């Protein structure tokens, strides 16, 4: 995602603790047999609320 002029991208942490999301992501990766590093970006997207606004 490349920010454009007049576009504001806010990344707001959700109320859920990041440690809990990380542990759940690692447990899910172990359960399905995926690499942990493949699950980390998805866990970050789940733990962060992305808000796009025009300025």
């Amino acid at each position: 995602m490349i920010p454009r002029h007049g576009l504001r991208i806010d990344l707001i942490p959700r109320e859920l603790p990041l440690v809990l999301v990380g542990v759940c992501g690692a447990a899910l990766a172990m359960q399905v047999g995926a690499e942990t590093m493949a699950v980390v970006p998805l866990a970050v997207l789940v733990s962060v609320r992305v808000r796009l606004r025009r300025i």
Side-chain angles (χ1 to χ4, degrees):
M1 219 174 176
I2 300 173
R4 293 183 285 167
H5 181 68
L7 183 66
R8 180 177 174 178
I9 302 172
D10 294 329
L11 300 175
I12 304 165
R14 294 193 185 266
E15 296 78 22
L16 198 60
L18 291 177
V19 174
L20 180 63
V21 172
V23 168
C24 292
L28 177 65
M30 288 174 46
Q31 183 178 7
V32 297
E35 290 288 326
T36 306
M37 292 308 293
V39 179
V40 168
L42 181 61
V44 169
L45 285 177
V46 167
S47 66
V48 175
R49 183 181 315 152
V50 179
R51 185 185 308 166
L52 301 173
R53 284 195 242 173
R54 290 191 174 211
I55 303 175

